[in-house]
Amino acid sequence: MDFIDSLNQQQQKAVTAELGQVLILAGPGSGKTRVLTHRITYLVQYLGVAPYKILAVTFTNKAAREMKSRVEEMVGANLRGIWLGTFHSTCAKILRREASYLPFGSNYIILDSDDQIAIVKNIIKEENINDKQYRPYNIHSAISNAKNNLQKPEDVPIQTFRDKIIQRVYEKYQQVLLNNNAVDFDDLLYWTVRLFEDYPSVRESYARQFEHILVDEFQDTNLVQYSLLKHLSSYHGNLFVVGDEDQSIYRWRGADYRNMLRFEEDFPKNTKILLEDNYRSTQLILDAATSVIDKNENRTPKDLQSTRKAKGNKIILHEAYDDRDESVFIVDTIRRLINHGRNKGSDFAIMYRTNAQSRLLEEAFLKAGLEYRLVGAQRFYGRKEIKDLIAYLRLVHNPSDELSLGRVINVPKRGIGAKTWQSISISAKAANISVGDMLMDLGLNSRDSQYWDEISSRSVAKLAYFGKQLVNWVESKEDLHLPELLSMIIDETEYELYLEENSSTKENSIDRLANVHELKRLTFEYEELGIETFLENMALVSDQDTLPEVAEAPTLLTLHAAKGLEYPVVFIAGLDQEILPHSRSLFEPEELAEERRLFYVGLTRAEDQLYLTRADRRSGYGSYVDCEPSEFLKDIPDELLEFAGRPGTTRHHHKTATNTKWNSYVGPTRGASRGFRMSKPKAPKPRTAQLYQPGMRVQHASWGEGIVMDSRIIGNEETVDIAFEDYGFKKVLASIVKLDILK
DNA sequence: GCGTTACATATTTTT
DNA sequence: TATGTAACGC
């Protein structure tokens, strides 16, 4: 078994552990992904297990893809048939197959969180519930909690009036979803468990199939996921889970790290293996991380040992006047290190608690003329234009999808307003058909339609026109590939024109057009897979999943998104009370503990160098708010820290009297003399003449017309990003590709 | 049905 | 700041 030679003893023990229940407690950087991939390889290659008998669950789709390709590399064969994905995608697959047992069809749609909240909001309105007192967001999360605890509406324990409201809304909410052949994220898991519990024979068939089940990030499973695993492993009982209670950061989503304890109780014969060797960070970083996490209770203390020889550089702490300065400091430092040739752009990551913090950082990067890549933030799939177009595709895929129809029936504006919508909804209900079907009947038969006169609205003709379009798309979908279908819809609705006319600024409109082009480009990847797979992936694939690994550029991301990643140099920004820990976590010890874990996750992402930054004041809603240092900073021993001061100023004295350690940083420090310059960011490098500007229309001999999305000089070459109308996105060098600029 | 306006309000993380 | 929404007038 030479493929495990490169592993340490504990890792080898994990990979070759006996069948049955195995729990791997894996500290950060201890190579748990390697253990998982090697374990699968071990199963396939040495135990001869057929791939389709293996189910491996990861936290993101990206992790699943990577794992698959790594194992395939090791095995030297294709792993056709292996079930490798997230809990959600695995369940989605099962539900599509077994839809005949369920109260929805196999072509169900998956709602995103905006849709979910919107539905709750509607119900609250319809039911005349006070939306100030019962905020849609909160009610929704209560419903989500209920589902994560496997409660039906009638199972919701009623203690307060609020519970009653929740129950009522939950019930209605579920009706709306089922009426629309829709499920939400929680439903994917919830219905799968229901399926297994209500139909033992179905459970049996899956349990028999999955001889081996492996789970990554086990500490972030919730109750539904846990019972899912129990059901799925109920026949063979081979359950191999990997996790670290200290890295559990999804409590708010129902995750419960105590599943790790539960696992040991439920499977007393389990094998437990601890991985403590850390291959990632310097010992100094690990010491700091340990002293932070040790403050949490109810955990197994761990002794993280670095395999690296050098103890490592101290953690550099910087306090800025305000959040703008903080960003400038970070970008300046990065630029300095790159200029020194010490690091390349992709060595850096900047992590923060909330997405909103990325804005000032982005500005600082732009000013400095440095590239960066941003994970998440304004989600691509959450953008209005993307959601509109996906709603069109959903509608064509299933004309009875009323939620999607409602979304697009008047986008772009076609004179069908709320009144008309109400009117056709009522008629459809009376006729016992879906609104989409009625619409199409109007489209097909015009005045001869039996429904024509029924609809008491002046806009029947408009409805009929749209119905006709819909009929046409539905008929065409058989003959067209997905990209063609999408283009057809965009053309016939004049969607791009609508975007141009309805965007606040020119830039904004270019941005949104670029999104549309990006969506078009994406559909090309689904020419073969088809519309169904496309729609499912649109709902379940996260932004991290699709983030191109391009560019030698620093990465900006939230601490949550950083889980599982590592970088040579890590900045954690916003180490202020009410930011990290977040203000909403301060009253609940469990939540505060989770904030601490979040910080711990961030700290342990760093390989060589850590920077922590904070600011005395931050811009809130329009005005500045004073900030105090994060309480977590106190827990890092002085000797591991070095203070990067503000040249030319006296340090601000914090009023936090209890924070004695903190005050010990006051005064001149070595950090300050190390040449940190707080200079104003220089203007972007003067550029050699740039031929192309964003927004220009260009023509290429074979690719046809396109619009310039971006253009920049790299080295001496002008690189141009162009979205071609029919060929999607292309990156070209201006000097090589011949382009004509159209007026 | 739609555009304009004033006014309130403030979601942390993401499958 | 920035975003949504209720109300109004055309």
Side-chain angles (χ1 to χ4, degrees):
Chain A
M1 268 196 283
D2 45 338
F3 79 106
I4 57 168
D5 285 352
S6 60
L7 303 178
N8 71 29
Q9 212 188 348
Q10 285 301 91
Q11 291 171 332
Q12 294 193 6
K13 224 169 118 186
V15 168
T16 58
E18 265 185 58
L19 301 190
Q21 299 89 40
V22 183
L23 173 64
I24 311 291
L25 294 178
S30 61
K32 71 183 167 70
T33 310
R34 294 189 75 204
V35 165
L36 275 167
T37 51
H38 282 78
R39 175 71 172 187
I40 299 175
T41 304
Y42 172 76
L43 293 175
V44 174
Q45 208 159 57
Y46 285 84
L47 301 188
V49 179
Y52 77 92
K53 293 180 174 172
I54 298 174
L55 167 66
V57 190
T58 56
F59 202 67
T60 63
N61 295 289
K62 185 180 164 209
R65 271 201 309 273
E66 283 174 4
M67 191 169 290
K68 190 168 176 192
S69 68
R70 275 194 224 176
V71 178
E72 284 181 341
E73 221 170 89
M74 280 195 278
V75 177
N78 194 307
L79 286 181
R80 263 185 86 85
I82 192 173
W83 284 58
L84 213 166
T86 61
F87 273 105
H88 289 87
S89 68
T90 303
C91 288
K93 192 165 160 186
I94 294 174
L95 294 182
R96 294 227 193 264
R97 294 177 153 202
E98 312 299 340
S100 58
Y101 296 95
L102 295 159
F104 45 83
S106 71
N107 60 344
Y108 66 83
I109 56 170
I110 303 166
L111 303 178
D112 69 23
S113 20
D114 288 343
D115 300 333
Q116 295 170 33
I117 306 267
I119 291 168
V120 171
K121 206 168 179 179
N122 273 338
I123 295 170
I124 285 176
K125 205 172 207 173
E126 272 168 28
E127 299 282 298
N128 281 320
I129 297 166
N130 180 348
D131 67 345
K132 293 271 145 42
Q133 204 173 354
Y134 301 98
R135 302 203 176 267
Y137 177 88
N138 294 329
I139 299 299
H140 175 264
S141 74
I143 294 173
S144 172
N145 276 336
K147 288 184 184 176
N148 284 327
N149 285 310
L150 289 166
Q151 291 164 339
K152 302 174 192 172
E154 61 266 33
D155 300 332
V156 173
I158 307 287
Q159 269 150 18
T160 61
F161 183 65
R162 185 187 173 79
D163 296 336
K164 263 196 166 135
I165 299 270
I166 289 167
Q167 184 181 49
R168 195 159 100 218
V169 179
Y170 180 8
E171 192 158 5
K172 290 261 166 193
Y173 174 82
Q174 218 52 4
Q175 269 168 23
V176 171
L177 263 57
L178 292 180
N179 287 341
N180 286 285
N181 203 28
V183 302
D184 63 20
F185 294 131
D186 304 311
D187 279 336
L188 290 170
L189 311 170
Y190 171 87
W191 285 117
T192 308
V193 172
R194 287 280 304 274
L195 172 73
F196 288 161
E197 289 180 356
D198 296 347
Y199 301 93
S201 62
V202 178
R203 182 194 63 207
E204 180 84 359
S205 72
Y206 283 93
R208 276 172 184 267
Q209 181 185 339
F210 296 128
E211 259 176 43
H212 297 277
I213 298 171
L214 302 92
V215 187
D216 195 8
E217 308 283 8
F218 185 66
Q219 77 282 354
D220 277 323
T221 52
N222 59 31
L223 189 77
V224 202
Q225 292 167 341
Y226 187 76
S227 35
L228 206 58
L229 291 174
K230 286 191 92 171
H231 284 307
L232 287 171
S233 65
S234 59
Y235 188 83
H236 296 286
N238 296 322
L239 193 50
F240 186 96
V241 306
V242 183
D244 176 8
E245 55 194 349
D246 293 334
Q247 295 186 62
S248 169
I249 53 175
Y250 286 93
R251 198 183 105 92
W252 48 276
R253 217 167 74 185
D256 187 355
Y257 63 89
R258 280 169 304 194
N259 277 345
M260 304 201 50
L261 304 175
R262 209 167 280 150
F263 183 93
E264 293 193 73
E265 281 165 22
D266 288 356
F267 306 109
K269 284 195 287 187
N270 73 84
T271 312
K272 184 168 155 186
I273 295 168
L274 218 74
L275 304 178
E276 283 176 315
D277 285 348
N278 179 298
Y279 292 88
R280 178 185 298 152
S281 314
T282 65
Q283 190 60 45
L284 188 138
I285 290 169
L286 294 181
D287 289 348
T290 302
S291 53
V292 167
I293 201 67
D294 272 349
K295 290 281 188 315
N296 267 0
E297 288 164 2
N298 301 322
R299 58 179 284 277
T300 332
K302 285 173 207 72
D303 183 23
L304 299 181
Q305 284 305 324
S306 173
T307 57
R308 299 174 55 169
K309 277 164 236 112
K311 168 103 172 146
N313 294 334
K314 287 192 179 181
I315 296 169
I316 296 174
L317 184 69
H318 177 77
E319 294 197 285
Y321 305 117
D322 58 27
D323 44 0
R324 169 165 259 119
D325 273 349
E326 180 188 37
S327 300
V328 170
F329 168 80
I330 291 171
V331 174
D332 258 12
T333 307
I334 290 176
R335 187 172 48 183
R336 198 172 50 81
L337 291 173
I338 292 177
N339 287 345
H340 282 193
R342 293 250 306 266
N343 292 94
K344 52 185 195 294
S346 54
D347 287 349
F348 300 95
I350 308 168
M351 301 171 188
Y352 36 77
R353 177 65 238 264
T354 67
N355 276 309
Q357 289 172 259
S358 72
R359 253 189 72 174
L360 287 174
L361 286 161
E362 287 186 79
E363 273 175 32
F365 271 106
L366 286 173
K367 266 192 190 158
L370 280 180
E371 279 194 298
Y372 62 89
R373 59 178 211 141
L374 178 72
V375 177
Q378 170 56 293
R379 298 172 54 91
F380 177 74
Y381 305 105
R383 295 191 154 110
K384 185 182 177 301
E385 54 275 19
I386 301 304
K387 293 196 68 174
D388 286 346
L389 292 177
I390 287 176
Y392 271 109
L393 289 175
R394 282 178 167 181
L395 182 61
V396 173
H397 181 55
N398 173 15
S400 301
D401 176 354
E402 223 154 279
L403 293 170
S404 299
L405 176 57
R407 178 173 184 103
V408 298
I409 195 165
N410 203 26
V411 178
K413 297 240 152 26
R414 44 176 80 88
I416 304 174
K419 264 269 144 55
T420 309
W421 174 250
Q422 207 180 3
S423 171
I424 190 173
S425 297
I426 291 168
S427 304
K429 197 164 248 172
N432 205 20
I433 59 170
S434 74
V435 179
D437 287 339
M438 180 168 279
L439 198 63
M440 291 201 291
D441 192 79
L442 289 169
L444 277 173
N445 304 315
S446 270
R447 278 187 173 70
D448 300 330
S449 166
Q450 50 178 316
Y451 308 117
W452 185 276
D453 297 319
E454 248 179 70
I455 293 163
S456 51
S457 167
R458 286 175 290 138
S459 312
V460 207
K462 288 169 181 162
L463 285 173
Y465 182 77
F466 183 49
K468 212 167 177 174
Q469 285 189 310
L470 181 56
V471 171
N472 190 17
W473 297 327
V474 172
E475 282 172 354
S476 310
K477 104 182 147 184
E478 306 302 333
D479 312 321
L480 294 181
H481 282 303
L482 191 50
E484 296 159 335
L485 178 65
L486 179 61
S487 293
M488 182 175 179
I489 293 170
I490 293 173
D491 289 346
E492 291 183 6
T493 55
E494 299 186 302
Y495 193 80
E496 294 183 330
L497 183 69
Y498 157 78
L499 278 189
E500 281 171 44
E501 286 173 352
N502 287 281
S503 299
S504 49
T505 63
K506 180 85 193 165
E507 280 157 36
N508 184 255
S509 117
I510 290 172
D511 220 46
R512 300 173 73 181
L513 285 172
N515 289 332
V516 172
H517 283 284
E518 176 60 14
L519 186 72
K520 270 193 194 171
R521 195 194 61 74
L522 267 170
T523 58
F524 278 99
E525 293 172 19
Y526 290 84
E527 264 188 310
E528 303 301 319
L529 295 166
I531 190 167
E532 181 129 309
T533 317
F534 175 74
L535 291 176
E536 178 171 316
N537 286 1
M538 284 285 117
L540 290 182
V541 161
S542 74
D543 282 336
Q544 277 102 304
D545 290 333
T546 52
L547 189 78
E549 297 288 334
V550 289
E552 287 285 289
T555 303
L556 275 59
L557 75 181
T558 61
L559 287 162
H560 282 90
K563 188 166 81 162
L565 305 177
E566 57 187 9
Y567 299 87
V569 185
V570 168
F571 291 82
I572 303 179
L575 274 159
D576 293 284
Q577 205 60 4
E578 312 236 316
I579 303 283
L580 179 64
H582 193 270
S583 53
R584 299 180 75 97
S585 71
L586 293 175
F587 307 102
E588 242 256 73
E590 278 288 342
E591 294 201 1
L592 190 63
E594 175 142 317
E595 297 288 304
R596 190 181 283 284
R597 292 194 292 268
L598 198 49
F599 184 37
Y600 174 75
V601 167
L603 292 169
T604 52
R605 300 307 94 195
E607 296 169 2
D608 307 325
Q609 183 67 59
L610 251 172
Y611 287 85
L612 306 178
T613 63
R614 59 163 302 269
D616 288 340
R617 47 174 214 161
R618 298 184 172 272
S619 36
Y621 308 115
S623 61
Y624 276 102
V625 183
D626 285 329
C627 292
E628 283 180 31
S630 164
E631 60 179 279
F632 298 152
L633 282 173
K634 289 200 299 262
D635 301 323
I636 301 178
D638 288 1
E639 61 273 19
L640 305 182
L641 286 169
E642 179 173 308
F643 180 71
R646 311 156 172 160
T649 49
T650 335
R651 217 181 87 62
H652 176 266
H653 288 251
H654 289 285
K655 287 150 290 187
T656 42
T658 48
N659 195 344
T660 50
K661 275 189 184 176
W662 185 258
N663 286 329
S664 66
Y665 302 123
V666 174
T669 66
R670 276 172 298 143
S673 61
R674 284 181 53 185
F676 282 82
R677 287 188 40 241
M678 290 293 294
S679 60
K680 288 260 147 44
K682 294 181 195 106
K685 268 187 241 152
R687 294 183 163 178
T688 40
Q690 200 168 296
L691 285 170
Y692 301 95
Q693 297 292 337
M696 278 182 176
R697 295 198 65 82
V698 294
Q699 170 122 34
H700 180 270
S702 53
W703 296 332
E705 277 189 40
I707 184 161
V708 175
M709 292 303 151
D710 189 24
S711 176
R712 61 214 166 274
I713 311 275
I714 298 173
N716 263 335
E717 292 284 1
E718 178 171 7
T719 309
V720 195
D721 294 346
I722 303 165
F724 285 101
E725 268 160 21
D726 301 315
Y727 286 83
F729 235 85
K730 295 246 187 274
K731 255 189 206 317
V732 301
L733 288 179
S735 59
I736 292 174
V737 177
K738 231 174 105 61
L739 293 166
D740 293 324
I741 298 174
L742 302 173
K743 61 143 189 164

